[in-house]
Amino acid sequence: MADSSGQQAPDYRSILSISDEAARAQALNEHLSTRSYVQGYSLSQADVDAFRQLSAPPADPQLFHVARWFRHIEALLGSPCGKGQPCRLQASKGRRVQPQWSPPAGTQPCRLHLYNSLTRNKEVFIPQDGKKVTWYCCGPTVYDASHMGHARSYISFDILRRVLKDYFKFDVFYCMNITDIDDKIIKRARQNHLFEQYREKRPEAAQLLEDVQAALKPFSVKLNETTDPDKKQMLERIQHAVQLATEPLEKAVQSRLTGEEVNSCVEVLLEEAKDLLSDWLDSTLGCDVTDNSIFSKLPKFWEGDFHRDMEALNVLPPDVLTRVSEYVPEIVNFVQKIVDNGYGYVSNGSVYFDTAKFASSEKHSYGKLVPEAVGDQKALQEGEGDLSISADRLSEKRSPNDFALWKASKPGEPSWPCPWGKGRPGWHIECSAMAGTLLGASMDIHGGGFDLRFPHHDNELAQSEAYFENDCWVRYFLHTGHLTIAGCKMSKSLKNFITIKDALKKHSARQLRLAFLMHSWKDTLDYSSNTMESALQYEKFLNEFFLNVKDILRAPVDITGQFEKWGEEEAELNKNFYDKKTAIHKALCDNVDTRTVMEEMRALVSQCNLYMAARKAMRKRPNQALLENIALYLTHMLKIFGAVEEDSSLGFPVGGPGTSLSLEATVMPYLQVLSEFREGVRKIAREQKVPEILQLSDALRDDILPELGVRFEDHEGLPTVVKLVDRNTLLKEREEKRRVEEEKRKKKEEAARRKQEQEAAKLAKMKIPPSEMFLSETDKYSKFDENVSMVCPHTTWRAKSSAKGKPRS
């Protein structure tokens, strides 16, 4: 058989007769090495038969002809042919074919897990509808200023929401409510209204003193009956403050002081006794307050205040906001269906949820979140509200565990018409009706504070599943951890809280967010000076890195100079970069563990700093592209977390909102020119030995530029580093530097003074005559005789003056 080139195919009869496989492979290789096996060669059956005699390609590297053709024929055949079986080979085209390809094994992709309060475990997060995520979050009850407890929940949920939306690319629909009908709001609105009326009447000093004494009587009874130590301490503080403010007014009245002095004492007492008088006025006149507008004015004011605080904290607004006052018709319908389904009952104009009936149903269970708390009457009564735990209200229930869906309004309370008479919604039903109306029979995520688990969220679950007749109203329950103030419990009712506005006076929104990011969202967070100092140091650490990278990127390079050859240092840093990205991804998949993420980011920046320092020591320029990639990645992560408030291209923004990019782009070229000019002037001053010019250059760096938010960093033998930094930060740094220098100066002066005193004492001692030298050391010697002998407990030593004035023994 001839090949396509016209050559005769080899005769393999002699080769096939060789019994030893190794020898046969050797002979076959020699035949193949003498022939021209070109691309057009057509394989014959004899060729195939010869190679079929081999069990495997030879391992000897010298037999590469046989190994190569063995694999080629094996690829063409698909699998070896058995003896006597027809070969599937078609020897017509004679072309090489691509070898078989196998995909890499790869690794299992990391999946997002969230801690689900319903199971008390981390569960794989699986939305019900593809990438769409429906999320309902319990909003604030707006009757007072928002505090750091609110910040704990809403910043934490904002971080989680941003991570799901911007990192994991879920399509999040975020719904939040505002509770503007509630026992606390009703009571506070009435009290504020009655106190303002009382104040406008400008009570006489004697009348005010009489009213304060009248208000102290029930207050003292309440104080004596209080068992909670924190609440008792708070009430004692109020009582003490009122008593202190009462004494000056009593003395002023008795002394018949002028009207201005008395009025001043009246204002002080009114302010200190506001809570006391408000409670007393409400107990005596509260039933007369009937205007519904009084109860809407207070929550409207504080809702606006809440939104401004959230904006200041860079918390994203919800996709939809619901107010209880706007959903009363939906709430009435919701309650009616629960009654129709057999899980609610009407009693004296109120409607209650039948917990026993619900729990006995085969398809339902009560107390899913905190089953061990079912029956806790204290928690249940707190959930019902201060205005709803009177004896007559409690007697309306079939079971103490039942809770109000709808409350018949008493005098002094707002009301809406309904099938059961005028009333108002219960606390728990509000969220169920609003969330159910917008999100349907089952939502993916429900969020709230840890303290809302029981009874609020357990009751929400029960009444919603009673309405929808299902067992899956919420798939994942997320609860943020408590917030403590320097280790102590924080509570608005105990007046132990820090408002968001007060917190923002001390620290920026970014610093507060960094503090939250450095802790787990589901654990208790202690808001203290130590916590915030850690956040401040972290911010400074990152900011310095970004400023250094920006300075490196400003170094001029041509278009080809952007791409530099990598050495071992760049390869190692790049490997660390990808290792850290993998670790950060795993941490985010693990219940959005931002604490670990922040540690990994810190470690990555530390590695970059070491790399830049090493290049600087070698007088070599760091690789711009690599550092820029790392800095951009870190900026991207900080944007996802909401720690970069605006569209900053790299690092933290500089200047006010909306000015970062334009400020840096506009100002930096001029600062660079100033830096280069200053460097030239300093060089001439050093060469010409003109210290006055060097002093002026230092004054520009240390005194003038910091006032403008500019930092010049001089490095021996290297160009000056120019950084735009927050002005207040630079001024604090300058003051701290001066303080440290002043301390060093004082220590140096103190050390010099001590040395001078020691030298003086030494000289003074040298002037003392030998006969008097030891007379002052009474702690060592008990007495001296007429010969100046010093009598010690164990021995006697006699000292006499010699002619030279030296002691002699």
Side-chain angles (χ1 to χ4, degrees):
M1 182 180 292
D3 61 22
S4 60
S5 63
Q7 295 179 331
Q8 187 69 28
D11 182 7
Y12 289 110
R13 283 179 294 179
S14 60
I15 296 173
L16 292 174
S17 65
I18 301 173
S19 59
D20 182 66
E21 184 172 335
R24 185 165 60 252
Q26 177 69 39
L28 185 60
N29 193 72
E30 290 175 1
H31 272 278
L32 292 170
S33 64
T34 61
R35 297 197 60 81
S36 174
Y37 282 83
V38 294
Q39 183 176 352
Y41 180 78
S42 297
L43 292 171
S44 67
Q45 187 62 48
D47 296 325
V48 176
D49 289 341
F51 280 94
R52 190 167 50 205
Q53 299 301 316
L54 300 177
S55 60
D60 190 344
Q62 293 183 348
L63 307 182
F64 64 91
H65 290 293
V66 176
R68 178 166 62 89
W69 278 97
F70 181 94
R71 293 190 178 94
H72 178 62
I73 292 173
E74 186 179 45
L76 289 174
L77 295 174
S79 61
C81 295
K83 276 191 176 182
Q85 294 179 349
C87 182
R88 294 170 295 171
L89 182 66
Q90 299 296 323
S92 57
K93 295 183 179 179
R95 292 186 177 181
R96 293 177 183 267
V97 297
Q98 286 184 312
Q100 189 176 359
W101 177 84
S102 299
T107 57
Q108 195 69 20
C110 185
R111 302 182 69 183
L112 172 62
H113 289 69
L114 293 176
Y115 183 86
N116 189 357
S117 297
L118 284 166
T119 63
R120 301 189 187 183
N121 280 306
K122 295 175 187 177
E123 308 289 354
V124 177
F125 180 63
I126 306 173
Q128 299 173 90
D129 183 13
K131 297 290 284 186
K132 182 182 179 182
V133 175
T134 52
W135 187 337
Y136 180 84
C137 180
C138 276
T141 301
V142 282
Y143 68 99
D144 206 340
S146 304
H147 51 71
M148 284 303 293
H150 293 116
R152 170 56 169 154
S153 280
Y154 300 121
I155 290 178
S156 296
F157 281 132
D158 186 64
I159 293 168
L160 289 172
R161 178 187 175 190
R162 288 171 181 267
V163 169
L164 263 64
K165 181 171 66 76
D166 298 330
Y167 186 85
F168 290 106
K169 304 303 179 183
F170 288 108
D171 184 7
V172 179
F173 180 67
Y174 191 81
C175 173
M176 189 180 78
N177 78 294
I178 293 290
T179 298
D180 58 355
I181 301 172
D182 177 80
D183 284 30
K184 293 186 182 74
I185 293 173
I186 294 168
K187 188 175 180 180
R188 180 66 63 85
R190 268 197 332 235
Q191 289 178 342
N192 287 355
H193 173 72
L194 292 169
F195 182 77
E196 287 305 317
Q197 280 189 331
Y198 180 83
R199 193 167 201 161
E200 286 172 4
K201 292 177 181 177
R202 305 183 66 85
E204 296 291 333
Q207 183 64 50
L208 176 60
L209 288 170
E210 184 181 335
D211 291 340
V212 167
Q213 291 304 317
L216 275 170
K217 292 178 181 178
F219 184 87
S220 299
V221 173
K222 181 181 178 181
L223 175 60
N224 293 330
E225 292 175 349
T226 301
T227 57
D228 184 281
D230 293 327
K231 192 171 183 180
K232 194 176 188 72
Q233 189 178 34
M234 183 267 292
L235 294 175
E236 287 173 344
R237 284 199 303 268
I238 293 175
Q239 185 184 54
H240 182 64
V242 171
Q243 289 171 346
L244 286 177
T246 301
E247 291 174 5
L249 182 57
E250 289 176 336
K251 291 178 180 178
V253 171
Q254 291 171 1
S255 304
R256 297 183 180 181
L257 297 177
T258 61
E260 187 176 340
E261 291 173 304
V262 172
N263 288 337
S264 176
C265 294
V266 165
E267 288 301 318
V268 171
L269 181 55
L270 276 171
E271 191 60 36
E272 293 295 339
K274 180 179 178 180
D275 292 334
L276 185 80
L277 288 169
S278 296
D279 204 33
W280 174 67
L281 291 167
D282 187 45
S283 64
T284 55
L285 303 172
C287 295
D288 299 333
V289 179
T290 57
D291 186 358
N292 265 15
S293 65
I294 292 170
F295 303 105
S296 61
K297 181 181 176 182
L298 178 78
K300 186 176 181 180
F301 172 83
W302 288 117
E303 182 192 334
D305 193 71
F306 168 78
H307 291 314
R308 285 187 288 272
D309 284 342
M310 292 300 104
E311 184 178 10
L313 291 172
N314 195 33
V315 172
L316 294 173
D319 294 310
V320 60
L321 184 81
T322 62
R323 299 180 185 88
V324 179
S325 60
E326 298 172 345
Y327 276 78
V328 173
E330 288 85 353
I331 292 171
V332 170
N333 293 335
F334 207 92
V335 173
Q336 184 62 63
K337 188 174 179 183
I338 292 174
V339 174
D340 294 342
N341 288 346
Y343 298 110
Y345 59 91
V346 181
S347 178
N348 198 25
S350 295
V351 183
Y352 294 94
F353 188 82
D354 194 332
T355 53
K357 179 74 175 295
F358 181 80
S360 63
S361 172
E362 292 183 0
K363 54 186 176 182
H364 296 301
S365 57
Y366 179 64
K368 286 183 175 182
L369 288 165
V370 196
E372 63 271 21
V374 174
D376 183 345
Q377 291 305 305
K378 182 180 178 182
L380 287 166
Q381 289 180 12
E382 286 179 358
E384 291 294 81
D386 293 343
L387 305 178
S388 307
I389 55 172
S390 58
D392 57 329
R393 275 278 166 88
L394 294 174
S395 65
E396 293 173 357
K397 300 180 181 181
R398 293 177 183 174
S399 165
N401 294 337
D402 294 349
F403 55 90
L405 300 172
W406 185 266
K407 302 175 182 179
S409 292
K410 297 177 182 178
E413 297 178 1
S415 62
W416 287 263
C418 69
W420 317 286
K422 287 188 175 182
R424 57 191 177 89
W427 178 35
H428 315 299
I429 198 67
E430 301 168 351
C431 290
S432 292
M434 292 185 291
T437 300
L438 288 169
L439 305 181
S442 183
M443 72 183 76
D444 293 306
I445 298 175
H446 193 320
F450 184 82
D451 56 327
L452 295 179
R453 295 179 309 150
F454 185 88
H456 185 50
H457 286 159
D458 265 327
N459 288 351
E460 272 189 47
L461 280 168
Q463 63 200 9
S464 300
E465 291 171 359
Y467 176 89
F468 289 109
E469 286 287 14
N470 65 14
D471 193 40
C472 57
W473 187 59
V474 174
R475 301 292 184 167
Y476 298 84
F477 243 120
L478 309 183
H479 289 101
T480 55
H482 285 302
L483 181 115
T484 56
I485 304 292
C488 299
K489 176 184 175 183
M490 196 206 72
S491 168
K492 186 179 283 189
S493 62
L494 297 177
K495 300 186 182 300
N496 169 36
F497 66 93
I498 296 174
T499 66
I500 290 173
K501 287 182 178 61
D502 286 341
L504 287 172
K505 291 175 183 176
K506 295 181 179 179
H507 303 105
S508 69
R510 181 194 304 141
Q511 290 161 355
L512 292 173
R513 188 170 289 248
L514 288 173
F516 286 23
L517 285 164
M518 293 168 74
H519 294 78
S520 170
W521 61 268
K522 63 176 286 294
D523 295 337
T524 297
L525 170 67
D526 186 46
Y527 177 68
S528 63
S529 57
N530 289 337
T531 299
M532 293 313 303
E533 181 60 28
S534 297
L536 291 171
Q537 292 303 319
Y538 192 93
E539 180 191 42
K540 183 179 179 181
F541 177 73
L542 283 183
N543 195 40
E544 284 302 312
F545 166 72
F546 289 132
L547 292 173
N548 287 327
V549 172
K550 287 179 180 179
D551 180 72
I552 290 169
L553 295 179
R554 282 193 292 269
V557 292
D558 58 34
I559 192 166
T560 58
Q562 301 175 57
F563 306 100
E564 301 169 334
K565 180 183 177 182
W566 281 18
E568 291 182 6
E569 299 90 347
E570 286 77 18
E572 181 64 24
L573 180 59
N574 189 59
K575 180 182 181 302
N576 287 331
F577 176 31
Y578 278 85
D579 288 344
K580 292 304 176 190
K581 284 203 287 187
T582 300
I584 286 170
H585 179 67
K586 287 181 178 178
L588 290 175
C589 287
D590 184 17
N591 197 38
V592 191
D593 180 8
T594 57
R595 179 175 183 174
T596 299
V597 169
M598 301 301 276
E599 290 171 358
E600 296 291 352
M601 288 171 63
R602 186 199 299 272
L604 177 58
V605 171
S606 296
Q607 290 162 355
C608 291
N609 289 341
L610 289 173
Y611 166 74
M612 288 187 287
R615 301 295 289 180
K616 180 180 174 183
M618 294 187 291
R619 297 290 191 270
K620 292 183 178 180
R621 186 175 60 194
N623 188 282
Q624 290 183 328
L626 178 56
L627 288 173
E628 184 177 22
N629 283 340
I630 294 172
L632 287 172
Y633 168 75
L634 293 172
T635 303
H636 173 65
M637 293 307 301
L638 290 168
K639 285 181 183 178
I640 287 175
F641 295 147
V644 172
E645 298 87 347
E646 55 185 282
D647 191 21
S648 173
S649 59
L650 193 152
F652 296 129
V654 181
T659 64
S660 172
L661 296 177
S662 58
L663 175 67
E664 198 159 2
T666 303
V667 171
M668 195 54 71
Y670 298 97
L671 292 176
Q672 203 70 41
V673 170
L674 175 63
S675 171
E676 292 168 4
F677 175 76
R678 174 176 171 271
E679 190 63 35
V681 170
R682 291 175 71 214
K683 182 180 178 182
I684 294 171
R686 282 193 294 265
E687 291 173 352
Q688 301 295 326
K689 296 182 180 179
V690 187
E692 293 83 3
I693 293 179
L694 291 174
Q695 289 172 3
L696 284 173
S697 297
D698 289 347
L700 174 68
R701 178 194 62 200
D702 299 334
D703 301 326
I704 299 172
L705 290 178
E707 293 284 350
L708 302 173
V710 179
R711 183 198 290 157
F712 276 10
E713 294 179 359
D714 295 326
H715 299 280
E716 189 65 34
L718 293 171
T720 298
V721 176
V722 182
K723 296 179 179 179
L724 280 183
V725 187
D726 177 67
R727 176 178 176 272
N728 291 331
T729 301
L730 286 180
L731 295 183
K732 286 179 182 178
E733 287 179 358
R734 187 174 69 183
E735 291 304 313
E736 179 64 18
K737 183 179 178 181
R738 289 175 177 174
R739 186 187 64 79
V740 171
E741 289 176 351
E742 181 65 16
E743 285 183 359
K744 285 182 180 179
R745 185 187 64 78
K746 287 181 178 179
K747 286 181 180 179
K748 191 174 180 180
E749 288 179 354
E750 180 66 18
R753 186 184 62 79
R754 287 178 181 175
K755 186 176 181 181
Q756 195 173 20
E757 288 178 353
Q758 289 172 356
E759 291 292 334
K762 190 175 179 181
L763 284 172
K765 195 171 183 180
M766 290 173 65
K767 293 178 181 179
I768 299 174
S771 59
E772 300 176 9
M773 183 176 294
F774 300 101
L775 292 177
S776 61
E777 299 182 10
T778 55
D779 58 326
K780 294 182 181 179
Y781 309 102
S782 58
K783 62 182 180 179
F784 300 88
D785 59 17
E786 67 279 1
N787 296 317
V788 197
S789 298
M790 283 135 294
V791 182
C792 300
H794 304 293
T795 184
T796 301
W797 185 84
R798 185 179 300 275
K800 289 186 178 180
S801 299
S802 67
K804 294 182 180 181
K806 294 182 179 179
R808 182 175 61 185
S809 61

